[in-house]
């Protein structure tokens, strides 16, 4: 006797499959009725995305809404907005640069961003002045910034540009 699945609802089909498995003596691993009870672990041989890929994807997700739908021209940041929120973002960004690259690295990063037209010369100068006002204990050991660090800086630039 063949079973036409269209003649039964899903719960009846599952029940028939369980009975069939019991009759054959081979119960096997039938999935639970509630999908929430299933084990959704990684596939065999799939280690999942690396931490770098996850961070980079998060940065892209954060950056896209900031620039989406706008005609963006270089330099992205032509002036530091004069609001409390913008000042908070500036200090958060500069603290990040200091923690990851020290004073020298943060200054070099700002001049690099100026050279690739992310920020203007005036903005770089203003940010250099802000750097001088941040406590030395905040500075890191002077490691070099990596691609993800620069991408995060671009997110900060886009946030500031969006506040203008």
């Amino acid at each position: 006797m063949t079973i036409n699945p269209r003649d039964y609802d899903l719960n009846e089909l599952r029940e028939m499959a369980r009975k069939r498995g019991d009759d054959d003596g081979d119960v096997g691993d039938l999935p639970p009725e509630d999908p929430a009870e299933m084990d959704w672990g990684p596939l065999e041989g799939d280690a999942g995305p690396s931490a770098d890929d996850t961070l980079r994807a998060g940065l892209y997700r954060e950056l896209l809404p900031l620039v989406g739908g706008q005609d963006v021209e270089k330099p992205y940041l032509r002036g530091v907005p004069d609001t409390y929120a913008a000042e908070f973002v500036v200090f958060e960004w500069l603290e990040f640069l200091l923690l990851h690259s020290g004073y020298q690295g943060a200054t070099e990063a700002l001049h690099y961003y100026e050279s690739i037209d992310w920020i203007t010369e005036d903005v770089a100068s203003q940010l250099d002045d802000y750097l001088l006002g941040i406590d030395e204990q905040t500075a890191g050991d002077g490691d070099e910034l990596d691609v993800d660090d620069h991408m995060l800086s671009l997110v900060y630039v886009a946030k500031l540009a969006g506040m203008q």
Side-chain angles (χ1 to χ4, degrees):
M1 176 180 157
T2 60
I3 298 174
N4 185 352
R6 292 184 180 151
D7 295 337
Y8 301 91
D9 74 355
L10 187 57
N11 289 329
E12 288 176 320
L13 290 171
R14 286 181 180 151
E15 187 63 34
M16 284 190 261
R18 285 191 183 94
K19 286 181 183 175
R20 182 186 230 171
D22 288 341
D23 294 342
D24 294 343
D26 179 20
V27 176
D29 289 334
L30 293 176
E33 290 209 20
D34 184 9
E37 296 175 10
M38 294 183 71
D39 180 21
W40 295 99
L43 298 175
E44 291 180 26
D46 182 20
S50 70
D52 287 341
D53 292 340
T54 303
L55 174 66
R56 196 166 291 135
L59 292 173
Y60 280 128
R61 278 192 299 276
E62 192 170 342
L63 185 59
L64 284 175
L66 298 172
V67 297
Q70 299 177 10
D71 292 330
V72 182
E73 294 180 4
K74 286 187 172 184
Y76 303 131
L77 186 59
R78 298 175 189 276
V80 178
D82 191 25
T83 64
Y84 176 75
E87 193 170 277
F88 181 80
V89 171
V90 165
F91 280 110
E92 185 178 299
W93 177 27
L94 295 178
E95 184 178 23
F96 164 78
L97 290 174
L98 285 172
L99 285 173
H100 285 84
S101 63
Y103 272 106
Q104 184 65 32
T107 303
E108 289 173 1
L110 293 174
H111 291 288
Y112 172 68
Y113 302 148
E114 178 190 346
S115 73
I116 60 173
D117 282 338
W118 284 5
I119 60 177
T120 63
E121 184 178 341
D122 291 338
V123 170
S125 175
Q126 190 174 358
L127 294 175
D128 278 336
D129 291 343
Y130 278 126
L131 272 177
L132 295 175
I134 298 178
D135 188 16
E136 288 183 31
Q137 294 176 352
T138 307
D141 54 3
D143 293 336
E144 287 201 22
L145 297 173
D146 63 10
V147 172
D148 292 329
D149 296 331
H150 291 301
M151 189 178 287
L152 183 57
S153 285
L154 183 58
V155 170
Y156 280 114
V157 167
K159 282 181 181 180
L160 290 169
M163 293 178 176
Q164 291 181 336

